[in-house]
Structures are given as C-alpha cells and as structure tokens.
Amino acid sequence: MNKKIIFLGLCASVFASSCTKNFEKYNTNPEGATQEEVERDAYILSSALTGLQSWVVPLDVNTNQFTECLLGGSYGGYLSDSNNGFNGKNFATYNPENGWARVAFNDIIPNIFIRNNKVKVVTDDVVPHAVADIIKVLAISRVTNIYGPIPYSKVGVDGALNAPYDSQEAVYNLMFDQLDEAIETLTARRNENFSSKADLVYGGNVIQWIKLANSIKLRLAIYVSKANPSLARTKAEEAVSHEIGVITANVDNALVQPTLKNPFRVVMFEYNGGDSRVSADITSYMNGFKDPRAAKYFNPTTFTTGTNAINGLRSGINIPSGDDVKNYSNYNIAENGKVLWINAAEVAFIRAEGALKGWEMGIPQVSAGTAAEGFYNTGITLSFEQWGAGNASAYIADNVSLPARYIDPKAQFSYTGATSTTTIKWNASASATEVNLERIITQKWIATFPLGVEAWTEFRRTGYPKLMPVMVNNSGGRVSTERMARRLAYPQEEYSENNANVNEAVSTLLQGADNMGTDIWIAK
C-alpha cells in the first residue's frame, strides 16, 4: 500500500505521461472492478477524454479565471476586473505580471498534449482518437491566437515545452490538416458512436462531432481570411459543402457540462464577492439596441439608489476599493450552467462574412436579399432562439437604435468619446460592405458571449466591435491605447528553460518585439 501511495505521488509530480507505463499494474484495486468491467464501463476512456475536454475553455476555476475572465473577458469587451487588489498587475491595464501571462501557455499546452496522448494510449479505437484531435485543435487555436508563434509540431507526448516554435501560419496549416484527417476518419465511421460517459459535449454522437469539426474549420478559415485569403476561402467552402456540414441548429451547439460548478460562476460570485463583473462595453451596446437578450445574459445592478438597470463596469480602470464595485451588473450564470465552445449563431455569422467576401456559403435559413444578409439574419434569429428571447424579427428590422453611450451609475468611469454608429438592420447598398462587416462582427460578438478569447481575436483582425479605450495604460508605451493589446508576451520561463527556441521565434517568426503591442500573423 505504501508503495502504491509513493507511486501515485510521483505520478502527480511528473504528469500523466510518466504514469502510462504499468498503469494497470499499479492502479488496479484487487477488491474492486476487474479490468473487463472497467473497460465495459468505458471508465478509462471517459477519464482520458473528458479530462481533455476540460482544457479547451478551462473548467479548472483558477485557469479559467486567468484565461477567460481576466484576459479574454477584458480584451474581448465582455468582463471587467472588480478586485482592486489587481491594480497595477492586470491584463486590463496592459501590464500583467508573469504569473498571469504564463497560464495559457504553460498550463494549457502541456495539458492538451498529455491528455490527447492519453486518449490514444488507453484505446485503439480511431473514433475517440479523431475526437481528441478535434479538441486539441480547438484548444491550441485559442493559445496561438493569444501568443502568435508557439511550440506545436515538435512538442512531445509528454507536453514538455522545450521545443522549437512554429510560425502562426505553420500552426494554422497543421491545424487544418489535423481537422481534415479527423473529419475524414469520422465521416467514414459516422454511425460508430462511442460511450456517452466519455463525452461531456455530445454524449458520444459522432455526427455532431463531425459538424463541430467542420464548424471549427470554418472559424479558423475566417480567422486567416486577412492573412491568407485563398486558403481561407478554400477551407471555408470545404467546411460548408461537406456532406454532413457545419452546425446549423442550436441542438448541435458545443456546450460542456462541468462536473463541478461552472467556473465563471465561481469567479464572478464566490471569489472575494466576485473578482469580475460584466463589462460596460457589452451592456452599452445591448442597452442601446434594446436587446431582450440582455435580461437573459446579465443580472441588474444592486446599487441601493437608482433604477437597478443593467450597467456593466468599465474595463481598464483604476479599480476602486469598497463595496460599490461589486454592485455593477453580473453574469446570469447558474452553478450548473454549461460552458460554451461554439454555437449555431456564430457559424451563421461566419457564413455571412464569407458570403460578404464572395465565398460560396450555401443557402441561409432566413431568406433575404443576399446570402450575406440571409446568414446575418439567421445568426440573430438563432441567438434569440438559443436564449428564449422571443421573436427576432422586430430586432432585425430596427434601423434606428444605436449603441448607448456609457454613463457610469457612480459617475466615475463614464465615456465621453465617440461610440459606434452601427445599427442592426442590414444595409442593402452595394457600397455598404464595411458597414455590414461591422454589423456582422458586432452581432456575432453579442451572440458568442462569454467567449472572450474569440471576441478579442475578432477585434484584432477586424477592428470590431468598437470598444471603449482603457482609462489606465500601464504598458509604458508598448501598447497603443487606440489599437489595444495585440498579444501576450511569452512567459519568463521560456527564456530560462527554452531560451534558444524562444529567441529564434522572436527574431524570425514573430516579426516584432516580444511584447503586447506586436501583431500576430492573422491580425497584422
């Protein structure tokens, strides 16, 4: 027994890759289930695959706080920091300490590689292998969009990061290849569903995983549409023309059911009375648009005076002390609420942008004058359906309402600058391409809350939605207040533990200084 305890302790210190050898020998309880019974229950596969799924939008609360709330939430215009202990070291004011900036790199990449490999160790079934590769691509796409060039093609199964870097272009090319291979594998085995216990997203339904893979491929295609237009069009058209195709209905939305509490709920309600609040950016847009989804997304303010309307807290401020900062609107998320990866509305908006570019994106569900307009209206309709927000037709027809100017309920952080002049209704004029692009991205942004890393990626590649600039910029001139943060610098650990490779990446692949003001390839 003592030997078993020592072995398990060693496993915890050197990650799962070290524990694969003799796993069954050391981890079988002689008085418990037999190996045959364990396999029958798909326990081993369940542990491996659900563990992998938990690292896309991290279900671990601390990791989620850094990557989704403090980083993505701030830069994507969704959330704002409400703990004044964060002043001077947070993402929002462009001066994160290394302990914050390292998380997406040092925690997510190793976990994804280790757990992806574990799936392939515990089963010979190529269906879970393909699903694991889809999950890996989805997770890594978010990491490369945070940093730019990263170690990817040469990272070992043990997840060690002392590997050469790939350019972001090379990372995207490899991700497309891996998605294509997974799609081909699953399409040939579309009826070979696997254990529902091994899948927190689709309960083992292979058809839905094919739709998800095509939808991720479509998302990545639109991300590279500025950097490599021909590749983008090819991959996008492949995704929507595939015999099974992309996500088109809310029943196929990729939503993960946490095994414990929803991590956003913990961060925004339990940590110090809530370490984050909803951002004034998204509440101002939705208030101005008279958007009925706002009441579904957000809780009203809890100030003792005033109307208790929905008002977010401005991001990039000197966070005040006291209780007032906790009275701004919060995320209306239940303890058992699911975590979003991608939804049908986002897919429709991507197809709208593709159609606006002249790509063949198929036929929209909501008919309109052009394919771009039809997919745009479809995206809004699907989002309203997802949230049970009523009939979207009046909202779609609104050509008057504008995003509201932010007036801070406590009169400390109000915004007096120019706001967006975009309205909701599509403009059918042939000269309105840029105006309609802003519409697409703005409505997509509203529909994909709270996916902050994705929202930040959209902002960097398109400039939309138009967000309020920070009030405090602690970057020392490295980050433009107008263009905002473009990436994160590499963790300090890379310079001490992978020095030659990180320096090579900065000098030849990044094409700029290793700071937050340098553009990544897809958003130059």
Side-chain angles (χ1 to χ4, degrees), residues 25-158:
K25 174 181 176 182
Y26 289 101
N27 291 278
T28 299
N29 180 352
E31 298 180 358
T34 66
Q35 182 65 24
E36 181 180 353
E37 290 168 337
V38 169
E39 289 178 350
R40 187 183 306 138
D41 198 37
Y43 174 78
I44 296 176
L45 176 61
S46 173
S47 174
L49 196 54
T50 60
L52 178 62
Q53 290 172 341
S54 70
W55 283 93
V56 177
V57 176
L59 300 185
D60 173 77
V61 176
N62 289 337
T63 309
N64 182 283
Q65 179 174 27
F66 286 116
T67 60
E68 311 307 314
C69 299
L70 301 176
L71 172 62
S74 293
Y75 292 167
Y78 286 151
L79 304 178
S80 180
D81 303 343
S82 57
N83 181 336
N84 75 323
F86 296 161
N87 284 329
K89 62 180 180 181
N90 56 348
F91 294 112
T93 55
Y94 306 148
N95 188 35
E97 61 179 31
N98 185 64
W100 292 38
R102 68 181 293 282
V103 174
F105 196 101
N106 286 43
D107 291 358
I108 293 180
I109 297 176
N111 268 290
I112 289 297
F113 273 86
I114 290 168
R115 294 169 190 274
N116 177 275
N117 180 62
K118 186 175 182 182
V119 172
K120 295 172 182 180
V121 168
V122 302
T123 180
D124 294 327
D125 188 345
V126 295
V127 169
H129 291 188
V131 169
D133 284 342
I134 294 166
I135 297 167
K136 176 181 175 180
V137 167
L138 178 55
I140 292 299
S141 70
R142 305 176 86 240
V143 177
T144 187
N145 289 344
I146 292 170
Y147 297 97
I150 58 170
Y152 188 46
S153 67
K154 296 181 177 62
V155 175
V157 295
D158 62 352

Side-chain angles (χ1 to χ4, degrees), residues 138 215-223 341-342 346 350:
L138 178 55
S215 300
I216 296 168
K217 182 176 176 178
L218 182 64
R219 177 196 273 177
L220 300 188
I222 207 68
Y223 283 170
W341 283 0
I342 192 170
E346 179 184 347
I350 297 172

Side-chain angles (χ1 to χ4, degrees), residues 445-463:
W445 172 65
I446 293 172
T448 55
F449 176 86
L451 291 177
V453 174
E454 280 65 44
W456 181 33
T457 301
E458 299 287 7
F459 174 80
R460 285 176 290 165
R461 75 176 184 88
T462 69

Side-chain angles (χ1 to χ4, degrees), residues 285-334:
Y285 271 85
M286 295 183 81
N287 285 339
F289 287 154
K290 305 176 185 63
D291 196 319
R293 290 170 293 180
K296 306 286 186 178
Y297 286 18
F298 313 126
N299 295 327
T301 61
T302 56
F303 294 107
T304 56
T305 59
T307 61
N308 285 343
I310 292 172
N311 286 296
L313 174 66
R314 190 168 174 184
S315 188
I317 60 174
N318 187 36
I319 307 164
S321 59
D323 294 333
D324 271 353
V325 74
K326 306 296 185 183
N327 292 323
Y328 290 85
S329 289
N330 210 345
Y331 182 11
N332 181 23
I333 183 67

